[in-house]
Amino acid sequence: MTSTLPDATATAPAATSTPSVTSAVDNTTPALRRAWYAVALAADVGTDPVPVTVLGEHWIVMRLDGQIAAFADQCPHRLAPLSIGTGDGARLRCGYHGWEFDGTGACTRIPALGDAAAIPPKAQLRQPAGVQERYGLVWIAPDEPLADLPDFWEWDDAAFDTCWNSPRPTTAGAGQLCDNFLDAAHIPVVHTGTFGVPGSDELPAEPVDHADDGWTASTTYRVTYKNHDDPLVATGEHPLEQPQDLYKEVRPATTAFIRLGFPLTGKVIAILFSCLPVDAERTVVFKMMARNDFDGDAERLAASIVFEDQVLDEDLAVLEAYRSKALPTNTTVEVSTRVDRLSVAYRRLLHRMVTDTAPD
C-alpha cells in the first residue's frame, strides 16, 4: 500500500487528510460512469427485474427475448420503481399500473387505455449506454465506456475449471479495492495467513505496459507464493514457497485482472475482480476464477472458494479501516516509490477520466 493509516489519537497532518474532490475519486464520482461495471451474477438474472445500483443510480437488469436488458428503475408514467414489476420473458410489466415494455424499452401496452389505443411516444424506458453478459456476470456501462473488458480467455477455455465467490458487500471504496488488487507489495505483510511469505518483502520495480487504447495498464511481478494447491508439496518433492509470475492489469474504472503463473508446476490461475461502486457507503466485490490445476475436482474447487474468501477478508481488514473512501488521483498527495508504478498508473488513468483528457 502507498498510503498509511494515521494514528487514531493524533491530529492527522494535511498530507493524510481526505483529498479534495478535484484530486480524488469515490463511489459517486460522475466521471466514472464511462466504464463497465459488474452488477450481478448472470445465474441470478432471470425474466423478472433485478434491482441494481451503480454510482448511486438505480437500474434493473432482466432477460427479455432471451437477451440481457437493462433500464433505469423508473416507469415513465408515475415514476414507480420498475423493480416491483414482473416479466414473462417477452415483456416487462410495471407493478403500479400494468404498463408493458419490450426489450427495447418501448411501451407496447397501457391497460387503462385499451388495446387499440395509441401509445404516447415518450412512453420509453431509459437504457444505459451498454449492457452485456460476459464471464458469468451481467455488466452495465451507464455512459459510453472508454475501454472494453479484460481479455479473460481462460473463462471459456475447456482446459480451465471456473468458479466464483459470492458477491461481497463492503464499506471500502471501489477505487481503493481495485488499487489493492493491483498492489503486490502488501502480499508478505497482509496475506501471511493465506499465501503471503513473511520476509519476501523486496519487490523488483517492474515497468508498466500501456495498451494501444491508452486506458489499460499492466505489469508482471516475480513474487514468492505459498502454493497450498500443489500436491507435490505434501510429498516433499516441491517446497511450499514457490516462485510465481504475477500479471496484473487494470481497466477503467474499477476492474482488475490477475493471472498467476507457477513456473514450478506449469499451472495457471486467472482471476477477474470487478468492484461495483453502489453508492457513497457501499461497494460490492465480484471475483471470478479460472484455473487448470484441479482437473474438475469439485471438492478442491469448493475449498479454493473458501480460501479466496479468506484472502479477501485479509484485504478488507485493512481497507475497511480507512476513514475516507476516496482514492487520490493527484499523485503528489501520497508518497509513492518505484514499486508502486502500477498503482500510480491507475491513479493517472482515473485522473484522465475525471479531467476528460485524452489518453497519453
Side-chain angles (χ1 to χ4, degrees), residues 58-60 71-83 94 101 124-126:
H58 302 291
W59 301 89
I60 59 167
F71 307 106
D73 191 10
Q74 191 175 73
C75 180
H77 177 218
R78 287 295 177 263
L79 310 185
L82 291 169
S83 51
C94 177
F101 303 88
Q124 178 79 30
L125 302 182
R126 183 167 63 88

Side-chain angles (χ1 to χ4, degrees), residues 52-128:
V52 299
T53 307
V54 182
L55 297 164
E57 187 173 359
H58 302 291
W59 301 89
I60 59 167
V61 291
M62 62 188 304
R63 297 184 187 275
L64 288 170
D65 298 322
Q67 303 295 319
I68 290 290
F71 307 106
D73 191 10
Q74 191 175 73
C75 180
H77 177 218
R78 287 295 177 263
L79 310 185
L82 291 169
S83 51
I84 66 172
T86 57
D88 62 6
R91 297 289 184 271
L92 163 63
R93 188 173 189 270
C94 177
Y96 193 12
H97 294 96
W99 286 31
E100 296 181 6
F101 303 88
D102 65 16
T104 71
C107 183
T108 58
R109 183 171 181 266
I110 299 176
L113 296 183
D115 293 338
I119 304 296
K122 291 185 178 180
Q124 178 79 30
L125 302 182
R126 183 167 63 88
Q127 297 175 282

Side-chain angles (χ1 to χ4, degrees), residues 15-80:
T16 58
S17 62
T18 302
S20 69
V21 294
T22 58
S23 61
V25 298
D26 59 23
N27 280 16
T28 60
T29 302
L32 301 189
R33 291 172 54 87
R34 298 183 296 166
W36 287 105
Y37 296 98
V39 296
L41 295 174
D44 292 339
V45 179
T47 57
D48 284 328
V50 176
V52 299
T53 307
V54 182
L55 297 164
E57 187 173 359
H58 302 291
W59 301 89
I60 59 167
V61 291
M62 62 188 304
R63 297 184 187 275
L64 288 170
D65 298 322
Q67 303 295 319
I68 290 290
F71 307 106
D73 191 10
Q74 191 175 73
C75 180
H77 177 218
R78 287 295 177 263
L79 310 185

Side-chain angles (χ1 to χ4, degrees), residues 258-276:
I258 297 176
R259 181 177 291 114
L260 300 78
F262 296 90
L264 197 59
T265 65
K267 300 300 183 180
V268 173
I269 304 173
I271 306 176
L272 179 72
F273 297 98
S274 186
C275 306
L276 171 63

Side-chain angles (χ1 to χ4, degrees), residues 215-296:
W215 293 106
T216 304
S218 65
T219 195
T220 301
Y221 301 99
R222 172 60 68 91
V223 297
T224 304
Y225 182 105
K226 294 177 186 174
N227 191 358
H228 300 283
D229 299 320
D230 181 0
L232 296 184
V233 170
T235 65
E237 297 173 73
H238 285 171
L240 174 63
E241 299 174 5
Q242 299 180 9
Q244 177 193 98
D245 293 322
L246 180 58
Y247 172 81
K248 291 177 175 272
E249 174 187 308
V250 65
R251 300 193 184 198
T254 54
T255 294
F257 177 74
I258 297 176
R259 181 177 291 114
L260 300 78
F262 296 90
L264 197 59
T265 65
K267 300 300 183 180
V268 173
I269 304 173
I271 306 176
L272 179 72
F273 297 98
S274 186
C275 306
L276 171 63
V278 177
D279 54 30
E281 302 298 327
R282 297 178 297 163
T283 300
V284 175
V285 181
F286 293 89
K287 188 175 185 179
M288 317 298 284
M289 293 173 287
R291 54 192 308 158
N292 65 356
D293 57 342
F294 284 170
D295 297 322

